[in-house]
Amino acid sequence: MVYTMFGYARRLLEVDLSKNVTNVKNITLDLCREFLGGLGFASKLIFEIKRNADPLSAENNLILAIGPLSGTSVPFSSGVVFATKSPLNSGFCYDILYGDFAMEMRMANYDAIVIKGKAEVPVFLHINNNRRQIKDARQLIGKSPAECEIVLRNFLEDPFVKVASIGIAGEKMVEYASVISGQTKMVGRGIGAVMGSKNLKAIVIRGTNRLNLAKPDELYTFSKKAVINSKALRGVDKNFGPIFDISQMNSICALPTENFKKSAFQEVDKLIHTLNERYFVKVNACPSCPLACEYIYKVDDESGRIAVRLDYGAFWAFGPNCAIDQVESILKAVELCYFYGLDIIQTGGIIGFMMECSEKGLLTKETQAGELKFGDPNSLLKIIHDIGNRRGLGEFLAKSPKFILNEIKNSDGLATCIKGFQLSGCDPKTSRAVALFYAVSPCADFSLGHGINTVTSKKFLIPANSTDIVVKLVKDYEDMIAILNSMILCLRCEDIYGGLDRIAQAYTLVTGIEINGEDLKKAGERINDHIRLFNMREGLNRDNDTLPSKFFNEEGALAKKEFELLLDAYYKERGWTEEGEPQREI
Amino acid sequence: MTLVNQTKMILICDLKKCTGCRICEYVCSFEKEKNFDLTKSRIKVVNRDPTLVGAFTCSLCNNATCVKACPTGALSRLENREIVLDKDKCVRCGWCIYACDMGGIFYDSSNHIPIVCDLCGEQPKCAEICPEEALKYESLDNVIKKQSISNLRKVLG
């Protein structure tokens, strides 16, 4: 059977910053059918990076990949996967930039962009349909991502370009620096540091091509129906969204508080009330999304920057995690992260950790942050400035948690990271399913809690499930996430589409490639196996599939031995060896 | 000319409700172009910053400047109805696009013709699909009335 070119552009843009050249390569049909796109493409392309490459060197690659559904009208389809070797653990990491950027990449006619090497001077990448240029960005150094966007739109005389850029933190290679686009969308996990290490300040993109779809009329009907079906799940007022979810998690004692010391924060209701009464502005949505979830709040200060997006993770990182009970400080802390370009969860996480170290008297004169303590907003805001600028204690804290843990004696018991990535959102003590999901996740996936309130994610909150049910729940959810992050579809869509068959249908209407739910499931397994194999290649193994000791030692927590049995069962369910190695030829 | 009692209709976006989801753009481009080419959507989402976003299209101006600017009479507007373009009379001078302060009429560079919202025959599809019900096609009188009531409520507390 002959497949014509629908949906996919079948074009991969390779950018070599060392050689100052760009090149378009063909993407094979096999890659499309087996890896779908987005995270799937990334899980295959990541192997191009040399084994043991230093993440902050010219040998690392930065991969951007959209999915076949990105930028089509299919609701929830507006995301770009950014993937690379993270400086936090030298292993695979990815994050998703939702919003306009994905649509622009689709209209520029690229499925993926791979950025290699390192530029001699700070540059930005300017893509306009088929024209690609690497331009001098020295004028942009020191600017926040929001400022970069304004300057670049003026400079390029095009108000419609989409910009993804790093801030000062990325320029200085803070190891959890982030990349920001459209003022309110962020990808973290050290991806910003990788961009900074390549001297790449920004990626600018503009596309004006027609979409090439297999069955446009049926796709139109499909999309309209999904929009109408979403009506039942919508509740776009200030009481819904991430703040609502925080409140729910708090009420079932699953909201990690004070560096995971506790599972509920008594100030939550007061914070929510103040946020809603005095700071709520409006709700925005990503392109094609009928379930808007971007909650915008005012920032109260003279900086001139007026509003910030507060989602579950952001509220959690500086609110309950650091025990801050002043709304203004939480909003300001989040706004600073957008200004400097810092991963909010990593930042809030490491600060919460330091607050507990301080409390337990573990900090020496060198690492003493002065007044870092739970509930103190002034030292919180000051340390974020210091981290963003890599000065004072910020120089020490700009490194990965692994490094910091090593430097602070006896701090192992306070750590809250999985494979070097900060845990967040949902307390692992909530259930065995949550504990297992986090422990095996490659980069501390935060699709549990975090406002992703789907039927499946709620199942994780049920504490007493048998091992069989737990491992199957975790595996199926991970495979679902891999599929959605390859299409790319926002995780919220799970309940709207009601299962893989509808998603497979959308895929066929766009690409013309016949596929069903079973094919998608197999692709999900394939993608997760590849990520796993890459991490093993880079030296991660069964020892890294664990929770920090804090979670095994506490009362009521899972016992280590019991966890190991759970892990055995999970590996078996996945068809992996006892050491957790996929038996797949790649 | 006999005075006919026709209320002025407008297609208006409630900025308090608009989330910037662009579903109106998807629907418009498909209805008019049979493809999801958002650059051809007659309605466009504009956001100044995260606090302010809305969808804008032809304002259905009385004494429309685009019509007045057209040197060949290709553009016309019947009372209280949409702008109409006679393609055969259009000489592609672009004066209508210069004349419109609102950006309601713009240039389709692939078909080489100005394009403007035609209200989908008085049942605009964008308003029909808008998930937030931010886009409404209704009489100007109604819009003014609702705004007055809302302002009054604010004053009276």
Side-chain angles (χ1 to χ4, degrees), chain B residues 1 3 24 29 38-40 43-44 51 65-67 69 72 81-82 98 106 112 124 130 132 141 146 156:
Chain B
M1 191 176 79
L3 213 68
C24 52
S29 73
L38 298 192
T39 59
K40 305 282 196 315
I43 187 164
K44 296 193 190 304
T51 61
T65 43
C66 58
V67 172
T72 64
R81 297 288 302 274
E82 69 277 11
Y98 286 127
F106 61 97
H112 305 292
C130 176
E132 299 305 319
D141 285 343
K146 279 196 270 192
L156 296 176

Side-chain angles (χ1 to χ4, degrees), chain A residues 1-249:
Chain A
M1 215 175 157
V2 176
Y3 295 113
T4 47
M5 201 157 80
F6 288 121
Y8 295 99
R10 303 268 305 277
R11 285 155 56 93
L12 183 151
L13 175 64
E14 205 177 69
V15 178
D16 192 329
L17 294 174
S18 304
K19 301 190 183 137
N20 211 37
V21 292
T22 72
N23 200 2
V24 173
K25 292 189 156 165
N26 178 49
I27 291 180
T28 64
L29 252 180
D30 278 343
L31 188 73
C32 297
R33 286 168 57 206
E34 291 175 14
F35 291 89
L36 307 175
L39 181 65
F41 281 3
S43 73
K44 186 85 169 117
L45 293 169
I46 199 83
F47 281 92
E48 287 177 4
I49 301 172
K50 218 175 81 165
R51 183 190 300 259
N52 293 328
D54 179 352
L56 295 178
S57 74
E59 293 181 328
N60 194 5
N61 293 350
L62 175 61
I63 301 163
L64 277 74
I66 51 173
L69 301 187
S70 300
T72 63
S73 64
V74 174
F76 308 100
S77 65
S78 249
V80 189
V81 161
F82 277 61
T84 187
K85 278 192 72 166
S86 174
L88 295 175
N89 72 348
S90 289
F92 182 86
C93 81
Y94 77 99
D95 205 345
I96 306 198
L97 186 72
Y98 292 103
D100 286 328
F101 198 94
M103 207 155 75
E104 214 65 36
M105 212 166 131
R106 168 56 65 221
M107 294 201 293
N109 216 28
Y110 300 105
D111 296 311
I113 302 173
V114 177
I115 302 171
K116 308 181 168 185
K118 176 182 172 162
E120 272 176 30
V121 298
V123 295
F124 70 93
L125 177 61
H126 182 202
I127 303 170
N128 185 327
N129 288 324
N130 204 29
R131 215 176 71 176
R132 293 98 50 176
Q133 295 169 283
I134 299 168
K135 294 177 167 163
D136 194 316
R138 278 173 286 197
Q139 306 272 28
L140 298 173
I141 293 300
K143 295 208 185 310
S144 72
E147 287 169 320
C148 277
E149 212 165 75
I150 295 171
V151 168
L152 282 163
R153 282 179 175 163
N154 281 334
F155 177 65
L156 298 171
E157 292 182 343
D158 188 348
F160 297 113
V161 292
K162 307 299 181 283
V163 180
S165 63
I166 54 177
I168 297 167
E171 291 169 19
K172 293 180 189 278
M173 292 187 276
V174 173
E175 292 186 10
Y176 41 95
S178 62
V179 180
I180 289 157
S181 181
Q183 297 185 56
T184 56
K185 308 286 198 289
M186 185 192 279
V187 285
R189 299 190 167 123
I191 291 166
V194 171
M195 258 179 83
S197 75
K198 295 186 172 311
N199 255 333
L200 181 61
K201 174 69 177 170
I203 304 170
V204 182
I205 190 160
R206 180 87 162 100
T208 55
N209 291 302
R210 280 170 71 89
L211 263 52
N212 196 17
L213 304 166
K215 299 217 167 90
D217 290 315
E218 290 178 46
L219 188 70
Y220 184 48
T221 310
F222 178 97
S223 299
K224 277 201 294 187
K225 199 151 163 239
V227 170
I228 293 165
N229 287 346
S230 310
K231 273 201 152 90
L233 286 184
R234 268 179 43 243
V236 187
D237 79 21
K238 53 193 175 187
N239 290 315
F240 281 84
I243 305 305
F244 178 70
D245 296 316
I246 288 267
S247 173
Q248 273 205 317
M249 293 295 258

Side-chain angles (χ1 to χ4, degrees), chain A residues 103 211 220 234 282 284-285 288, chain B residues 18-19 21 26 31 35 50 131:
Chain A
M103 207 155 75
L211 263 52
Y220 184 48
R234 268 179 43 243
K282 71 187 303 281
N284 289 334
S288 82
Chain B
C18 179
T19 60
C21 72
Y26 279 113
E31 289 287 334
N35 192 315

Side-chain angles (χ1 to χ4, degrees), chain B residues 1-47:
Chain B
M1 191 176 79
T2 32
L3 213 68
V4 180
N5 184 18
Q6 277 194 327
T7 45
K8 177 172 167 66
M9 300 292 283
I10 56 170
L11 180 62
I12 188 161
C13 176
D14 186 342
L15 300 182
K16 287 193 295 298
K17 291 184 179 170
C18 179
T19 60
C21 72
R22 302 178 78 171
I23 290 179
C24 52
E25 292 189 19
Y26 279 113
V27 163
C28 179
S29 73
F30 196 85
E31 289 287 334
K32 298 298 159 195
E33 304 289 327
K34 295 296 164 217
N35 192 315
F36 298 110
D37 182 351
L38 298 192
T39 59
K40 305 282 196 315
S41 168
R42 278 66 164 153
I43 187 164
K44 296 193 190 304
V45 167
V46 177
N47 59 23

Side-chain angles (χ1 to χ4, degrees), chain A residues 276-297:
Chain A
N276 283 341
E277 289 309 300
R278 295 192 9 219
Y279 293 90
F280 176 75
V281 178
K282 71 187 303 281
V283 187
N284 289 334
C286 293
S288 82
C289 175
L291 271 193
C293 76
E294 184 177 284
Y295 279 64
I296 304 292
Y297 297 87

Side-chain angles (χ1 to χ4, degrees), chain A residues 566-582:
Chain A
L566 199 57
L567 195 61
D568 287 334
Y570 169 78
Y571 286 169
K572 198 148 168 258
E573 182 73 22
R574 279 237 170 253
W576 295 349
T577 66
E578 276 171 18
E579 292 312 303
E581 185 168 0

